[in-house]
Each structure stands twice: as C-alpha cells, then as structure tokens.
C-alpha cells in the first residue's frame, strides 16, 4: 500500500489487535475491581483503540476524550503543551490515560504532570504500542500492548501526515 511517497506493508493484523485488546481489558478489569476509573483517551490517534478497548471493560467507568494543544509560550523554551477537553473534575479520581503509541514518552510526561497537579488519586497508562525509546527510558506504561522497535507505523488510528487512520490493521513503513 502506498501513502504519499511511502510504501507500507501489513505489520499487525486486525485479529492480533483484537486479541491483544481482550487481554489488556481483562487486566484492567481485574486491577480496577471495586473502583470506577476515568479513561482519558488522547485524540486523535487513540480513537479506534479506545472504542474497542472500552467495549471490553466491564467495571463501572467514565470516559472523557482529551487532546493536546500546542501553543507558543512567552519564554524562549518554545512550545508549551496543555491538555484540552477536560470537562469534569478529576480530583480524587483513578485515571487511565489511553494512548495509541508511546515513542519518547515526552507527550505522556506532560500529560501525567498536568493530571498530577489536578489532585488525581492515581494515574496509569494503557497504550496499544510502545516503541523502543520508551522502554529504554523506563517510561511508565502499566498496560502495554505491543512492544515494537523504531519502525514507523500507521493504521488503526495512527496517521502519516494525516492519512491512514481508517484501517483496521497496523502497517509498517518499508525502509529499503
Ligand atoms: P512521544 O511524545 O515521542 O511519545 O510521541 C507520541 C506521539 O507521536 C503519538 O501519540 C503519535 O501521535 C506520534 N507517533 C509516534 N510514533 C508514531 C508512529 O510510528 N506512527 C504514527 N504516529 C507516531
């Protein structure tokens, strides 16, 4: 499959993704028994993963989609990022951030710091994919789906220049 100038081949099938989601959901159902967590899927990439994962969550829970906005700060540090879309109080709540992929973990660090400042009771992460830099840096992802290397992936919510989010499977860029 070709998107723009890049060639992609199938990497993880729709069936493998669904199997992984069933096991991630049962871990969460087990670990959060007796609690009512708030799932925070981070748009845009996690919309498909969140929709499938939440169908398998059987404990009571809330869901609130958030987005990262970038804006130019006044200081020389450049871009600051902040969470937008939070429409309910997260004070004293058990939060589960839903991510499509964690690469360097920088995005996640920012989100977690902001959530901690809101007086949440706990903050954990479920991510469908985790790249090598995140593992090397010891970024805390409590529920990680597939551990991958540094390949660029697309499909199942993930995009390449805005394209390719609509596929039910994951593709990998052909590099040679
Ligand atoms: P991080 O801050 O380096 O962890 O970057 C995480 C974000 O980068 C993800 O939420 C994605 O939006 C994007 N990203 C990282 N790797 C890929 C990839 O292989 N395909 C598509 N998007 C990616």
């Amino acid at each position: 499959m070709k998107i723009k100038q890049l060639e992609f081949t199938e990497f993880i099938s729709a069936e493998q993704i669904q199997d992984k989601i069933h096991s991630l959901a049962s871990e969460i159902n087990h670990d959060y028994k007796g609690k009512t967590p708030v799932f925070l899927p981070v748009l845009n990439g996690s919309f498909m993963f969140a929709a499938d994962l939440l169908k398998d969550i059987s404990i009571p829970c809330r869901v609130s989609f958030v987005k990262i906005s970038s804006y130019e700060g006044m200081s020389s540090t450049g871009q600051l990022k902040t969470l937008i879309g939070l429409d309910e109080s997260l004070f004293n709540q058990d939060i589960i951030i839903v991510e499509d992929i964690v690469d360097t973990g920088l995005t996640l660090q920012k989100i977690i710091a902001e959530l901690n400042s809101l007086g949440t009771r706990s903050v954990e992460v479920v991510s469908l994919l985790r790249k090598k830099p995140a593992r090397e840096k010891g970024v805390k992802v409590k529920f990680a789906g597939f551990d991958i290397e540094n390949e660029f992936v697309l499909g199942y919510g993930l995009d390449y220049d805005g394209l390719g989010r609509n596929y039910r499977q994951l593709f990998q860029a052909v590099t040679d």
Side-chain angles (χ1 to χ4, degrees), residues 101-132:
I101 189 164
V102 184
D103 183 0
T104 63
L106 286 174
T107 311
L108 209 47
Q109 272 171 15
K110 294 239 164 64
I111 298 175
I112 292 172
E114 192 163 337
L115 292 175
N116 284 336
S117 76
L118 297 175
T120 50
R121 188 190 294 145
S122 66
V123 179
E124 298 292 356
V125 180
V126 57
S127 183
L128 181 65
L129 297 150
R130 178 169 58 176
K131 277 191 177 176
K132 202 172 179 186

Side-chain angles (χ1 to χ4, degrees), residues 13-33:
S13 72
E15 199 183 6
Q16 287 173 296
I17 293 172
Q18 294 306 320
D19 285 349
K20 186 64 83 179
I21 288 174
H22 297 326
S23 65
L24 287 171
S26 55
E27 267 186 74
I28 294 172
N29 287 329
H30 174 267
D31 289 8
Y32 284 78
K33 200 168 177 206

Side-chain angles (χ1 to χ4, degrees), residues 8 42-46 68 81 99-111 127 129 131 133-134 137 139 148-155 157-161 163 165 170-171 173:
F8 288 89
V42 183
L43 292 171
N44 293 323
S46 71
I68 308 284
K81 289 182 175 176
E99 271 284 18
D100 49 351
I101 189 164
V102 184
D103 183 0
T104 63
L106 286 174
T107 311
L108 209 47
Q109 272 171 15
K110 294 239 164 64
I111 298 175
S127 183
L129 297 150
K131 277 191 177 176
K137 284 175 62 188
V139 178
I148 64 171
E149 296 300 307
N150 285 327
E151 54 260 309
F152 187 82
V153 295
L154 154 155
L158 290 116
D159 74 304
Y160 169 53
D161 209 7
L163 297 168
R165 295 192 195 275
L170 282 154
F171 294 86

Side-chain angles (χ1 to χ4, degrees), residues 54-73:
L54 283 155
K55 287 176 221 164
D56 281 341
I57 296 296
S58 51
I59 51 167
C61 65
R62 295 191 172 81
V63 186
S64 187
F65 283 82
V66 292
K67 199 163 184 170
I68 308 284
S69 93
S70 303
Y71 60 90
E72 293 298 323

Side-chain angles (χ1 to χ4, degrees), residues 9-14 17 128-129 146 153-156 158 167-172:
T9 56
E10 185 168 303
F11 178 42
I12 301 175
S13 72
I17 293 172
L128 181 65
L129 297 150
F146 300 98
V153 295
L154 154 155
Y156 200 71
L158 290 116
Y167 299 102
R168 62 182 66 240
Q169 64 274 69
L170 282 154
F171 294 86
Q172 174 182 21

